[in-house]
Amino acid sequence: IERIRANTNSLEVLLATPDTNHEGRKELLKYLENKRVTVRTIPSLNDITSRAATINDLRDIDISDLLARKVVAPNQKLLAACITNKKVLVTGAGGSIGSELSRQILALNPALIVLFEHSELNLYRINTDLVNLCANINCNVKIIPILGSITNKQRVESVIKNFGIETIYHAAAYKHVPLVEENPLQGLRNNALGTQSLVEKCIEADVSSFVLISTDKAVRPTNVMGASKRIAEMIVQDAARRFPENKMGIVRFGNVLDSSGSVVPLFREQIKKRMPITVTHPEITRYFMSIGEAARLVIQAGAMSKNGEVFLLDMGQPVKIKDLAL
């Protein structure tokens, strides 16, 4: 690489190493770090054969490649249990977690998937994405985009009843801590009261499976966002206690790589604008997980839940934000 780099102005290295273990991949990226080359990856053979990508779909190095976190292999039986041939509703379907959940649900062949979202732009994006994905894999899943807020009980009720929803993944939430601190009543209204209205209509319609996507900030909350999500958890647990015949579960996890609430998009924007990368403290650590893995574990936890259990995802080893930035 150094010899070629000496005779060219720019050099791009393509990684075709999908089967390399995490340690080997991290070592390879470390070697390339100071070589002044652009590094991109070629899709895996599985993605190409499943038509999820083509050989021409080169992508930039993903942040998860740099952290080299070991991904837990999914249990296919658990993935399919509450989705295959079921009528599924995803709230907050246009968000980071909701959109990835929707993509993975589509691949598991539900009878239909309802995308419930209060942002018109986000709903347009995920609906278009799923329609195109469905065309690529020749699926016959009915995709229904619904504009609405979970705080609107009448809207929630009509959607659940009209489409005969059997499984709900509740990902809709305000999650940016500083913004919710500045707007506490709206944060509580959306995260807590919105969950209450959804759970209430879920019980009335006898929905068989309900999963609340929560956060590790609900543990001994120190801010309004964490408190609002803890209240949401308590609402689900109370309903599970009073209506044991309805399967309800809660999944908590920490930072998800590249989600809208993650620090990664901020770092990318700062790098793009050639600005200094800001780190609040050099010793701050966080747990990270890829969006894809988090979504798969949410689906599996939902299949395992019975009566208001709280599932905690194993986020691996903590990572220094300073190392992530570097």
Side-chain angles (χ1 to χ4, degrees):
I1 285 176
E2 290 171 344
R3 179 172 55 81
I4 297 170
R5 182 71 185 80
N7 297 301
T8 182
N9 289 328
S10 61
L11 179 62
E12 185 170 282
V13 176
L14 305 181
L15 299 184
T17 56
D19 296 327
T20 304
N21 63 32
H22 291 286
E23 289 74 17
R25 194 172 178 84
K26 191 171 184 178
E27 186 177 339
L28 178 58
L29 291 172
K30 188 71 176 176
Y31 169 79
L32 294 169
E33 190 174 288
N34 299 317
K35 296 291 186 271
R36 292 188 299 147
V37 296
T38 301
V39 183
R40 293 204 286 173
T41 63
I42 292 174
S44 69
L45 186 60
N46 284 340
D47 285 343
I48 294 170
T49 55
S50 68
R51 299 183 184 179
T54 71
I55 192 66
N56 297 318
D57 290 333
L58 304 177
R59 67 173 178 83
D60 294 331
I61 289 295
D62 193 88
I63 191 69
S64 59
D65 294 324
L66 301 177
L67 295 176
R69 186 186 183 281
K70 290 184 179 180
V71 176
V72 178
N75 181 320
Q76 291 299 324
K77 186 178 287 188
L78 288 176
L79 286 176
C82 297
I83 293 174
T84 302
N85 298 321
K86 305 282 188 182
K87 296 173 181 178
V88 182
L89 167 69
V90 180
T91 71
S96 306
I97 297 297
S99 59
E100 180 61 26
L101 265 174
S102 299
R103 292 184 197 99
Q104 295 197 21
I105 289 167
L106 184 73
L108 293 166
N109 294 311
L112 66 82
I113 178 170
V114 175
L115 310 172
F116 196 90
E117 173 61 55
H118 76 152
S119 165
E120 181 188 27
L121 178 59
N122 286 349
L123 182 61
Y124 169 78
R125 285 174 173 166
I126 185 58
N127 183 59
T128 302
D129 192 10
L130 290 200
V131 168
N132 292 336
L133 181 58
C134 198
N136 288 337
I137 62 177
N138 296 318
C139 77
N140 296 312
V141 178
K142 193 171 183 180
I143 303 166
I144 301 164
I146 297 289
L147 269 175
S149 169
I150 55 171
T151 60
N152 185 333
K153 288 188 178 184
Q154 291 75 21
R155 185 66 165 157
V156 169
E157 180 179 25
S158 66
V159 169
I160 292 175
K161 289 184 176 178
N162 289 345
F163 295 107
I165 299 299
E166 299 169 271
T167 300
I168 294 177
Y169 294 96
H170 178 29
Y174 290 147
K175 58 188 177 184
H176 288 273
V177 171
L179 287 180
V180 177
E181 286 294 309
E182 291 294 327
N183 301 273
L185 292 181
Q186 284 303 311
L188 286 164
R189 182 171 183 267
N190 189 72
N191 295 358
L193 298 184
T195 299
Q196 184 180 35
S197 69
L198 190 63
V199 167
E200 183 181 307
K201 298 306 176 184
C202 171
I203 296 297
E204 288 179 8
D206 201 26
V207 173
S208 57
S209 178
F210 178 95
V211 181
L212 167 67
I213 297 167
S214 189
T215 170
D216 58 3
K217 293 180 178 67
V219 183
R220 294 188 298 276
T222 57
N223 51 54
V224 177
M225 196 282 281
S228 68
K229 293 297 283 185
R230 178 58 190 140
I231 294 170
E233 289 182 354
M234 294 168 72
I235 290 167
V236 173
Q237 290 175 317
D238 176 64
R241 178 183 57 79
R242 291 187 293 118
F243 304 97
E245 65 277 9
N246 295 83
K247 190 165 73 168
M248 311 192 91
I250 299 160
V251 184
R252 281 183 193 161
F253 50 87
N255 296 275
V256 175
L257 289 168
D258 250 359
S259 71
S260 61
S262 165
V263 73
V264 174
L266 173 61
F267 284 171
R268 283 212 179 101
E269 188 66 21
Q270 289 174 332
I271 292 169
K272 183 180 178 181
K273 293 180 178 178
R274 299 186 180 279
M275 296 167 58
I277 291 179
T278 54
V279 178
T280 54
H281 193 284
E283 297 305 313
I284 286 179
T285 61
R286 288 290 183 271
Y287 292 89
F288 286 97
M289 178 177 285
S290 72
I291 292 180
E293 186 181 12
R296 285 190 294 274
L297 290 172
V298 165
I299 292 171
Q300 292 172 86
M304 295 166 62
S305 65
K306 294 179 181 178
N307 196 26
E309 303 93 338
V310 177
F311 290 84
L312 308 177
L313 302 190
D314 182 353
M315 304 290 289
Q317 296 300 313
V319 175
K320 280 188 177 182
I321 298 297
K322 180 184 72 174
D323 293 343
L324 178 66
L326 294 175

